[in-house]
Amino acid sequence: MDKETILAARQAHLGPSLSLSYQEPLQIVRGWGAYLYDENGRPYLDVVNNVCHVGHSHPHVVAALAEQAALLNTNTRYLHPNIVRYAERLLATLPEPLEVCFFVCSGSEANELALRLARTATGVEDLIVIDGAYHGNTQALIDISPYKHDGPGGRGAPSFVHTAWMPDPYRGEFKGYGRDAARQYAAHVAQLIAEMQAEGRGLAGMIAEPLLGCGGQIVLPEGYLQEAFTAVRAAGGLCIVDEVQVGFGRVGSHFWAFETQGVVPDIVTMGKPIGNGHPLGAVVTTRAIAEAFDNGMEYFNTFGGNPVSCAVGTAVLDVIANEGLQENAARAGAHLLRGLAGLMDRHPLIGDVRGLGLFIGVELVRDRTTLEPAAAEATLIVERMKDAGILLSIDGPLHNVLKLKPPLVFSEQNADFLVQTLDAVLAELVDPAAV
Ligand code: PMP
């Protein structure tokens, strides 16, 4: 099928709320490592995809999937070693008392279950969420995702959802990455709790990404989650960390991004990279919370934890360890951050460069004092980078943050290519004749 035929068939047969990337959509037919290839064999460096974590079509993961699929795939109501082996491997990456796994099929299913665990264990419904957050596509998750319910087509937060200020060290009310900013932002969480308590409402918990994805690739000020979680726990709430975007070594210094904040959550949710593209998700929690949830209503998930998914999940953990991908995320990520920060001298459009490991944001502004967002410029840059063979995306509530979150096989050479190309594209934006 040629591109026009596929496009026409999509328009005819698929829901129109599904979008395509780029003015001229790409047809992608193959993936390998950090690269995607179009129908003509042209390679594109994939700096968007944090799902194919260990590299597109990784042979060890593909073999694990194919071998198990050729032998057996069924639900979890028979004894099978894959699920327990995988649970042991996953739990070995987590601190105590996180010792019980639930396997699901997506990040949304993981967060949906996390909400049910927290609400069942506490007996109350109210949740604190961070402004700008996205946690998934079900109704319960749209309810706790300001990115959606406060955006186009949204109907705002329901009464049981309380939105904390986005702890944005660059643009937010309190500047900086230090403890002072953390304390001031966390004070807003405490204030929300006090207001709820004054109304006689109980707190089920707080859900937070340890780095904000849809919020605009934001690194939290040091100690923010520690302070916020202390307030939540004092009110009887549970602390849920959404590692769907940032887990599995992406931040480089640690395997889990919550570790960079010095906290141990009560519930951790996982998705995207966990299966390298295979639909897999997980929730890990404490024995006490899992037991409170065992109230007579069975939790069954037809596909969650099946032998094929568990073989895939195990293979992903193998590759992260065997190929040193967490260490690579630290090394290549630091190199990329340095290169991008180096562009700030020549390009006033770059207001901020931030990130941890291979989770990086470049915030574009028209004026470094007023911070006027450069959204149209961001769109143009992403289009021009694509023309030059590099795929990027845009995020943040003001649509002005270039989002960099490549597979962890992304190399320092890939980083150099990206920085040089972005340098040229930014120069061209100011003076098209210069290139
Ligand atoms: N949590 C976060 C932080 C996400 O970014 C996403 C997906 N973008 C989800 C949850 C939902 O995951 P899924 O699309 O696999 O349901």
Side-chain angles (χ1 to χ4, degrees):
M1 271 197 222
D2 61 26
K3 283 167 87 160
E4 287 66 35
T5 312
I6 298 174
L7 189 60
R10 274 179 70 111
Q11 283 160 354
H13 307 314
L14 304 184
S17 54
L18 189 63
S19 70
L20 276 164
S21 299
Y22 305 112
Q23 275 164 10
E24 278 278 318
L26 287 172
Q27 184 176 359
I28 296 297
V29 299
R30 192 164 72 85
W32 185 256
Y35 281 87
L36 291 171
Y37 297 82
D38 74 6
E39 76 281 18
N40 301 312
R42 181 178 179 192
Y44 289 89
L45 181 61
D46 182 359
V47 191
V48 176
N49 206 326
N50 57 350
V51 174
C52 52
H53 195 62
V54 302
H56 288 280
S57 309
H58 194 289
H60 182 65
V61 179
V62 172
L65 184 148
E67 277 165 29
Q68 185 57 50
L71 189 64
L72 170 76
N73 201 16
T74 185
N75 69 42
T76 45
R77 288 201 169 115
Y78 304 101
L79 292 176
H80 197 282
N82 284 15
I83 190 168
V84 286
R85 273 197 206 122
Y86 181 45
E88 279 166 16
R89 287 284 299 278
L90 195 58
L91 290 171
T93 68
L94 285 153
E96 284 176 7
L98 295 165
E99 55 177 322
V100 182
C101 299
F102 294 82
F103 293 113
V104 296
C105 308
S106 68
S108 295
E109 280 195 359
N111 281 330
E112 179 81 29
L113 176 57
L115 297 192
R116 289 185 57 197
L117 288 167
R119 286 172 171 156
T120 307
T122 59
V124 287
E125 189 179 22
D126 287 37
L127 283 153
I128 293 176
V129 302
I130 295 178
D131 204 7
Y134 176 65
H135 294 293
N137 58 33
T138 69
Q139 184 58 56
L141 298 175
I142 299 300
D143 284 349
I144 62 154
S145 297
Y147 173 77
K148 290 287 185 190
H149 65 229
D150 286 338
R155 285 184 290 180
S159 58
F160 53 83
V161 172
H162 310 272
T163 309
W165 292 331
M166 194 193 289
D168 177 348
Y170 176 65
R171 190 176 278 280
E173 193 170 340
F174 308 114
K175 306 286 174 224
Y177 288 91
R179 285 252 163 202
D180 267 359
R183 206 162 292 134
Q184 305 201 55
Y185 282 115
H188 186 237
V189 172
Q191 184 191 323
L192 290 175
I193 293 172
E195 286 165 9
M196 288 170 52
Q197 286 172 336
E199 287 176 32
R201 307 183 79 110
L203 178 65
M206 174 172 179
I207 182 164
E209 291 173 273
L211 283 85
L212 312 185
C214 291
Q217 302 295 93
I218 288 171
V219 180
L220 299 177
E222 183 195 342
Y224 170 74
L225 286 184
Q226 249 171 22
E227 305 245 356
F229 283 2
T230 300
V232 168
R233 284 179 169 140
L238 298 175
C239 301
I240 306 169
V241 155
D242 178 340
E243 290 271 347
V244 169
Q245 291 233 11
V246 291
F248 292 89
R250 175 163 296 279
V251 297
S253 58
H254 298 81
F255 197 81
W256 298 108
F258 68 75
E259 295 172 287
T260 66
Q261 282 278 311
V263 292
V264 177
D266 302 299
I267 302 173
V268 181
T269 62
M270 306 165 193
K272 291 185 189 281
I274 190 172
N276 213 49
H278 180 80
L280 176 59
V283 181
V284 181
T285 189
T286 65
R287 169 96 25 221
I289 293 170
E291 278 173 5
F293 190 62
D294 185 20
N295 61 1
M297 183 192 287
E298 186 189 17
Y299 181 79
F300 176 67
N301 188 314
T302 301
F303 301 119
N306 70 68
V308 172
S309 297
C310 291
V312 168
T314 306
V316 169
L317 293 178
D318 290 342
V319 180
I320 295 171
N322 295 344
E323 297 187 11
L325 294 184
Q326 181 186 328
E327 295 72 19
N328 185 64
R331 197 170 43 241
H335 187 74
L336 179 54
L337 268 178
R338 269 195 304 276
L340 293 167
L343 296 180
M344 290 185 76
D345 292 342
R346 279 199 300 291
H347 301 291
L349 197 67
I350 302 182
D352 192 32
V353 173
R354 55 186 177 244
L356 293 177
L358 284 172
F359 195 77
I360 291 173
V362 178
E363 179 148 359
L364 304 177
V365 293
R366 292 189 184 140
D367 182 318
R368 284 185 180 168
T369 312
T370 64
L371 308 187
E372 185 190 349
E377 292 86 339
T379 304
L380 202 62
I381 289 166
V382 166
E383 290 288 340
R384 294 294 294 126
M385 291 293 282
K386 177 205 121 183
D387 295 341
I390 300 178
L391 306 181
L392 297 176
S393 58
I394 300 173
D395 226 325
L398 304 169
H399 309 288
N400 68 327
V401 180
L402 301 179
K403 212 169 169 172
L404 285 67
K405 47 184 176 60
L408 297 198
V409 289
F410 188 88
S411 66
E412 289 174 71
Q413 288 82 352
N414 293 152
D416 291 339
F417 173 49
L418 191 154
V419 171
Q420 284 154 16
T421 310
L422 185 60
D423 192 12
V425 164
L426 285 164
E428 181 200 49
L429 203 67
V430 179
D431 179 7
V435 179

